[in-house]
């Protein structure tokens, strides 16, 4: 039964991901004219005298990208009503390619979308994973250590509430002006990764960590306060429970009581926030990558939206949706691990 429930949750997550990217595909293509968009792109790249060549090139590109066919299986025309097009439509072609791992080609770069995403993830993966790991570690470690120190806890909560009230771009700009400014403290580079570092970043983790210090710090300072405040409230609630008094009466120290008894139960309310942590960090990377000039997923999605490069936009947004659904799926697993009373329900 447990295996069936797990498979059902996986199938439901896959169905939700398919629904999200399908709606994005249909809405993005239904609200724009691909022929006009490609013609404008070619006008910016060719000489005004090459009008005939542009028209021919536009038709070639429409055929190459599969944009010269109807959008969906059916279309409505006022004169003839509903028309059925069968499998000869853009959505069916895109869905078939997606099932084979083909995300299409970028309209602007004429490069496979999967290749562009892979290049962007070389920057975004270390940024988001480090930020998520440090956010959870800082929230759990500091909150637990200060939970039985009233003075330190009071000041820590004030700092957490202050950081939580500040927008991410303000935190990032503050760190940039303070620690990457020749007029203040020029300890770190103003840009997350200098030219040429990305290709060797994974082989030289020390250089990567140094270059990503300020971007990661921005995301951590923006993410961990919510986790810390929630965990502190849960810990204080657990301190009032009878089992905590029993552990103390048996001679356990306050620190041992927190780490061995109350923390496990206090983590349960935190799981819900953890499901939003990685998606929110991925969303926050858009701001951080723009400020620190990182050519990662955030900038790739932002540029694709501005240029109406729909294959890239769909690939990036689909990846973010997959991360969110995977986080929610992992939350179900964590609930059942932390508390046997929770079980995956089919």
């Amino acid at each position: 039964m447990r295996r069936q429930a797990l498979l059902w949750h996986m199938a439901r997550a896959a169905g939700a991901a398919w629904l999200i990217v399908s709606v994005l595909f249909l809405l993005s293509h239904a609200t724009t004219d691909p022929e006009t968009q490609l013609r404008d792109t070619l006008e910016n790249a060719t000489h005004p005298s090459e009008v005939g060549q542009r028209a021919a090139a536009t038709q070639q590109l429409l055929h190459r990208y599969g944009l010269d066919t109807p959008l969906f299986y059916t279309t409505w025309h006022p004169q003839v009503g509903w028309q059925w097009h069968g499998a000869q439509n853009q959505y069916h072609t895109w869905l078939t390619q997606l099932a084979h791992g083909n995300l299409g080609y970028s309209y602007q770069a004429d490069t496979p979308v999967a290749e562009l995403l892979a290049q962007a993830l070389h920057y975004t993966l270390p940024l988001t994973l480090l930020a998520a790991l440090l956010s959870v570690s800082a929230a759990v470690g500091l909150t637990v250590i200060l939970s039985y120190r009233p003075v330190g806890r009071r000041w820590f909560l004030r700092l957490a509430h202050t950081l939580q009230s500040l927008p991410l771009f303000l935190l990032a700009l503050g760190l940039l002006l303070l620690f990457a400014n020749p007029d203040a403290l020029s300890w770190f580079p103003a840009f997350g990764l200098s030219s040429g570092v990305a290709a060797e970043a994974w082989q030289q983790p020390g250089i990567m960590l140094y270059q990503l210090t300020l971007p990661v710090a921005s995301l951590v300072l923006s993410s961990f306060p919510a986790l810390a405040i929630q965990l502190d409230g849960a810990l204080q609630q657990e301190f009032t429970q009878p089992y905590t008094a029993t552990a103390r009466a048996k001679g356990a120290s306050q620190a041992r009581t927190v780490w061995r008894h109350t923390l496990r139960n206090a983590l349960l309310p935190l799981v819900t926030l953890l499901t939003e942590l990685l998606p929110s960090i991925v969303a926050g990377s858009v701001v951080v990558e723009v400020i620190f000039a990182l050519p990662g997923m955030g900038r790739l999605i932002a540029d694709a939206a501005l240029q109406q490069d729909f294959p890239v936009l769909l690939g990036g947004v689909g990846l973010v949706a997959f991360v969110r659904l995977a986080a929610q799926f992992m939350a179900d697993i964590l609930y059942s691990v932390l508390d046997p009373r929770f079980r995956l329900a089919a």
Side-chain angles (χ1 to χ4, degrees):
M1 185 64 183
R2 184 77 175 275
R3 181 179 300 178
Q4 293 177 354
L6 185 62
L7 292 175
W8 167 246
H9 276 252
M10 293 178 64
R12 191 169 61 181
W18 163 78
L19 181 61
I20 291 172
V21 295
S22 295
V23 170
L24 287 173
F25 177 88
L26 294 174
L27 287 178
S28 61
H29 285 70
T31 55
T32 58
D33 182 5
E35 183 174 356
T36 303
Q37 179 185 352
L38 291 175
R39 188 186 303 116
D40 293 341
T41 302
L42 291 173
E43 286 178 357
N44 295 330
T46 58
H47 198 270
S49 62
E50 302 172 351
V51 178
Q53 297 180 7
R54 284 203 304 267
T58 299
Q59 295 303 316
Q60 291 178 359
L61 290 175
L62 286 173
H63 180 71
R64 177 180 179 180
Y65 296 138
L67 300 176
D68 56 348
T69 57
L71 176 60
F72 198 57
Y73 297 100
T74 60
T75 55
W76 167 263
H77 295 283
Q79 294 80 10
V80 297
W82 289 100
Q83 282 188 310
W84 173 258
H85 304 289
Q88 301 299 319
N89 62 81
Q90 298 177 35
Y91 176 74
H92 183 86
T93 302
W94 169 78
L95 196 61
T96 303
Q97 293 176 346
L98 185 63
H100 290 84
N102 182 6
L103 300 179
Y105 282 78
S106 167
Y107 295 162
Q108 299 295 327
D110 197 24
T111 305
V113 174
E115 183 177 330
L116 295 176
L117 293 179
Q119 293 174 357
L121 286 176
H122 276 83
Y123 296 88
T124 303
L125 270 181
L127 176 65
T128 54
L129 292 181
L130 277 173
L133 179 62
L134 292 176
S135 295
V136 174
S137 300
V140 174
L142 292 175
T143 304
V144 171
I145 291 173
L146 296 174
S147 62
Y148 47 89
R149 294 178 171 86
V151 177
R153 173 178 171 267
R154 184 168 59 251
W155 285 102
F156 173 69
L157 288 177
R158 290 176 180 175
L159 176 62
H161 283 291
T162 301
L163 291 174
Q164 191 179 28
S165 66
L166 298 176
L168 175 58
F169 77 90
L170 188 60
L171 289 171
L173 287 176
L175 292 177
L176 184 66
L177 293 176
L178 183 60
F179 296 107
N181 186 359
D183 296 330
L185 299 173
S186 185
W187 290 354
F188 300 99
F191 301 98
L193 287 176
S194 59
S195 178
V197 171
E200 304 177 357
W202 290 95
Q203 289 75 28
Q204 298 178 329
I207 296 178
M208 174 186 287
L209 291 175
Y210 171 71
Q211 299 276 358
L212 291 179
T213 297
L214 293 184
V216 169
S218 303
L219 291 174
V220 171
L221 291 177
S222 175
S223 302
F224 97 92
L227 300 176
I229 294 170
Q230 174 65 47
L231 181 58
D232 177 79
L235 279 174
Q236 298 304 316
Q237 178 65 29
E238 293 299 321
F239 288 161
T240 64
Q241 299 301 315
Y243 74 89
T244 303
T246 301
R248 293 286 289 151
K250 290 182 178 180
S253 65
Q254 199 161 12
R256 182 181 177 85
T257 301
V258 174
W259 287 105
R260 295 294 299 273
H261 300 281
T262 59
L263 180 60
R264 184 184 182 94
N265 292 329
L267 286 176
L268 286 173
L270 195 67
V271 172
T272 304
L273 289 181
L274 289 177
T275 62
E276 300 293 330
L277 176 63
L278 192 56
S280 66
I281 288 179
V282 172
S285 67
V286 177
V287 177
V288 171
E289 288 173 0
V290 169
I291 292 177
F292 292 97
L294 284 172
M297 280 290 301
R299 288 194 64 189
L300 182 67
I301 294 175
D303 292 343
L306 290 174
Q307 299 168 357
Q308 294 187 336
D309 195 345
F310 293 124
V312 177
L313 184 61
L314 283 171
V317 173
L319 185 59
V320 175
F322 173 79
V323 170
R324 179 176 291 276
L325 292 171
Q328 293 174 351
F329 177 74
M330 290 303 300
D332 292 335
I333 303 297
L334 285 175
Y335 272 124
S336 62
V337 171
L338 291 173
D339 193 336
R341 293 173 298 177
F342 289 91
R343 288 289 182 264
L344 292 176

